[in-house]
Amino acid sequence: SSRQALQQARVAVEELDDMKAVVKRLEEENAELRRQARHAEKEQRSLCSRAEGLQDERLLAEGQGLREQIQVQAAQMASLEVSSGTVATVGGAGGCV
């Protein structure tokens, strides 16, 4: 029975050593996964920052395009007002006589 107990103790020690090896491997994997997660977070922040920059650029370009459209329309309105004023003056003078 003491031999049997000794054999059981040896088996238990082997199992414990195996478990320690598994725990060590899992701790190493965990450390690597944490490193990868930190790296991924940095990449994500960088990509978000770039996306915000691109969106800002797009909005600025869109705003510039709208300003240009407004200027064109303002010029067209001014041209129409000048044309309408000239026609009204000419037409009014010709209709009174």
Side-chain angles (χ1 to χ4, degrees), residues 24-92:
K24 184 176 181 177
R25 183 178 50 83
L26 290 174
E27 287 174 342
E28 289 170 355
E29 285 181 26
N30 189 24
E32 176 62 18
L33 289 171
R34 287 177 185 264
R35 187 195 65 75
Q36 290 175 2
R38 282 191 302 273
H39 180 72
E41 287 173 11
K42 288 179 186 177
E43 290 256 341
Q44 183 179 10
R45 281 194 299 271
S46 175
L47 290 173
C48 286
S49 178
R50 284 182 54 202
E52 288 172 359
L54 290 174
Q55 185 175 12
D56 289 346
E57 286 180 27
R58 183 186 61 81
L59 290 173
L60 287 171
E62 188 175 312
Q64 180 61 32
L66 290 172
R67 278 190 292 278
E68 290 171 2
Q69 288 178 6
I70 290 170
Q71 289 172 348
V72 167
Q73 288 178 354
Q76 288 174 344
M77 289 293 292
S79 175
L80 288 174
E81 289 173 358
V82 169
S83 297
S84 296
T86 305
V87 170
T89 305
V90 171

